[in-house]
Amino acid sequence: MITAITVLIALGFLGWGFYRARPFGKLGLIAWFQSVVLIAPWLLFFSLSVVGIYLNIVGVLFLFVLSTGLYIYLGNRLRSLAQDEAIARRATAIADAQDASKLDISTDSAGSDATQSTAESAASTPDTTVPDLVPIPADDLKAIQSIFGIDTFFVTETIPYQEGVILRGNLRGDAEAIVAQLSERLQEKVGVSETNPQQPRYRLFLVEGQDGKPVVIVLPTTRDPQPSTPVQKVVAGLLLLATIAASLESGGLMLGFDFFTAPNRFAEVLPLAAGIWGVLAAHEIGHWVVARRHNVRLSLPFFIPTWQIGSFGAVTRFESVLPNRSVLFDIAVAGPAAGGVVSLVMLVTGLLLSHQGSLFQLPTEFFQGSILVGTLTRVVLRESLQQPIVDVHPLVILGWLGLVITALNLLPAGQLDGGRIVQAIYGRKIAGRTTIGSLIVLGLASIVNPLALYWAIVVLFLQRELERPSQNELTEPDDTRAALGLLALFLMIATLLPLTPSLAGRLGIGN
């Protein structure tokens, strides 16, 4: 039943995606079809399983390999079409500008007719069309070009781009220092925003071009990430309430009953639900504290409820432009670090408090489900794991759930914490590849664990896109951050991967 509902939800998301993609023409439909290709093997496998038809592992692997190859092909096709469209837009904008310069617009009547025609055209245009982008004014373009020099960034080519400009050239020094210097010059030349005196009119980005050479992009600050709307804040509040309810239900399931059919047992499930809330709160506070230290605004967390473990965590957007990849890393790793430490303390404390007669009785094989948890349990409980049943304190379960939530968010995919960590350390190309790999692994894992399917659908529809570039995309984080990132990814793998029977036997877990 749950599998059938999940398949229907996934089909609903695809239908909604098609509706959103249609107004963008061929580009939108290809992007939508990428989603279909990526999720098709899962939908086919679980749709067939609902009617009692099961594919063998060879068939499943073939479907995943086929979908991955088609996904990569569509991605290349999409980028090619996007480049062609961008070139066509630039050519059209230049031609329109040349035509406009030839027109005589000195009379009032002509101006009045043009205004009326524009208004009628705008009124007859459907809301679903993409608005035309206003090219950068000539005066602003000259001011921007004047900030560059042979000692910072020697410009060899200038290309108008959307509402801004792309400048190709040669970098002449340390990227971090040059970005700061050019940004200061830019503000001096073009001034600040009329609506916000604390914000410059344009923002400068130093990124890597397709040829691997440094490229400067200057865009108006109107393209910066925008604050959450009132509707989004309401949605965040509703998801928080749903997560609270799901955590209470999860606590009831741990105790062997359905909380929603027995709400009078609220006092029994509250400590367990509060433990889940503590892990989630620590995770989000970790993000918030480090973001505030770097003067980066974060949106409200959009929690993702699930009745199995209470919540998958939360989706949080950046509402500020990030200065560099090190800041991206610091904010991304802070949440899992805080949530992981709280979870680990819960787990170890629970193991130390476990004794004969503790609240939960678990089969010994249960501890073979995680390399990290199984190893720690063997160190603390020792010979107890050679018994068929192990009595454990509730904090053991809560700590384990917290580690699972943390590990799921550390998967190197899209805008998950793990995806942001990979993007910060290794760059966007590697992050894009690990995103595809993570979705494939989740798809394979969902064959034996439906929880992986739910998380894969969330990542696919909400979190698969990479984080937007920071102002300085060239400077990599230092070796300390790289080592911490690898440690976080290693702990994620150790939490989610089960012990093999042979390793469990050597550790003395089970008979």
Side-chain angles (χ1 to χ4, degrees), residues 97-429:
Q98 291 174 343
D99 292 342
S101 66
K102 299 176 183 177
L103 295 177
D104 181 10
I105 55 173
S106 60
T107 62
D108 293 340
S109 60
S112 175
D113 292 343
T115 303
Q116 182 178 356
S117 175
T118 302
E120 291 175 352
S121 175
S124 63
T125 301
D127 293 338
T128 54
T129 57
V130 180
D132 291 332
L133 298 173
V134 180
I136 186 169
D139 291 341
D140 289 349
L141 180 57
K142 290 180 180 178
I144 290 170
Q145 290 174 321
S146 69
I147 71 173
F148 299 94
I150 196 170
D151 60 330
T152 55
F153 187 85
F154 184 73
V155 178
T156 58
E157 183 181 8
T158 303
I159 306 171
Y161 170 73
Q162 296 183 359
E163 301 162 273
V165 62
I166 296 176
L167 301 111
R168 302 183 188 276
N170 301 310
L171 185 65
R172 301 294 177 86
D174 177 67
E176 191 72 20
I178 289 177
V179 168
Q181 186 177 352
L182 292 178
S183 296
E184 184 178 351
R185 290 182 186 175
L186 180 63
Q187 184 167 339
E188 291 174 357
K189 291 289 185 179
V190 298
V192 297
S193 171
E194 296 179 359
T195 58
N196 184 2
Q198 304 298 321
Q199 186 181 63
R201 284 182 59 205
Y202 288 90
R203 201 175 298 281
L204 183 143
F205 299 84
L206 181 61
V207 302
E208 184 179 300
Q210 293 184 349
D211 56 359
K213 297 181 180 179
V215 173
V216 170
I217 300 177
V218 178
L219 292 173
T221 51
T222 53
R223 302 293 300 275
D224 284 359
Q226 299 301 308
S228 299
T229 64
V231 173
Q232 289 173 326
K233 293 178 181 179
V234 170
V235 171
L238 293 176
L239 288 174
L240 174 60
L241 294 176
T243 297
I244 292 173
S247 300
L248 293 170
E249 173 68 4
S250 180
L253 294 176
M254 291 183 217
L255 296 173
F257 68 92
D258 183 356
F259 170 73
F260 292 122
T261 61
N264 57 310
R265 302 178 67 176
F266 175 79
E268 297 180 49
V269 302
L270 180 59
L272 297 174
I276 298 174
W277 301 338
V279 173
L280 296 175
H283 188 115
E284 298 310 316
I285 290 173
H287 285 314
W288 181 79
V289 169
V290 176
R292 186 173 184 182
R293 189 179 70 188
H294 288 293
N295 295 317
V296 173
R297 296 191 310 272
L298 294 178
S299 70
L300 291 174
F302 295 83
F303 289 99
I304 304 172
T306 174
W307 60 87
Q308 292 96 338
I309 58 176
S311 175
F312 282 124
V315 175
T316 306
R317 296 187 306 106
F318 290 114
E319 294 185 349
S320 299
V321 174
L322 301 179
N324 51 55
R325 286 159 58 179
S326 294
V327 171
L328 173 62
F329 175 87
D330 291 348
I331 298 174
V333 81
V341 168
V342 170
S343 302
L344 200 57
V345 169
M346 283 184 177
L347 176 65
V348 174
T349 303
L351 290 172
L352 293 173
L353 294 176
S354 296
H355 57 84
Q356 201 72 22
S358 291
L359 180 61
F360 289 104
Q361 289 77 44
L362 300 177
T364 304
E365 290 76 13
F366 191 76
F367 293 96
Q368 298 179 10
S370 167
I371 295 175
L372 178 62
V373 176
T375 303
L376 287 175
T377 304
R378 178 67 179 88
V379 170
V380 178
L381 297 186
R382 298 181 181 277
E383 288 76 14
S384 299
L385 286 182
Q386 296 180 359
Q387 304 297 323
I389 300 294
V390 181
D391 295 352
V392 295
H393 191 275
L395 283 175
V396 173
I397 306 298
L398 292 175
W400 196 338
L401 286 181
L403 288 174
V404 169
I405 294 171
T406 301
L408 289 174
N409 281 272
L410 280 173
L411 285 170
Q415 294 181 28
L416 296 179
D417 293 327
R420 287 169 171 170
I421 289 171
V422 171
Q423 181 177 333
I425 298 175
Y426 300 107
R428 301 179 67 82
K429 291 182 180 179

Side-chain angles (χ1 to χ4, degrees), residues 453-472:
L453 173 65
Y454 309 148
W455 189 229
I457 291 174
V458 170
V459 174
L460 181 63
F461 287 103
L462 298 180
Q463 295 286 80
R464 67 171 178 167
E465 298 297 331
L466 299 182
E467 195 57 62
R468 61 184 293 155
S470 56
Q471 286 189 268
N472 174 15

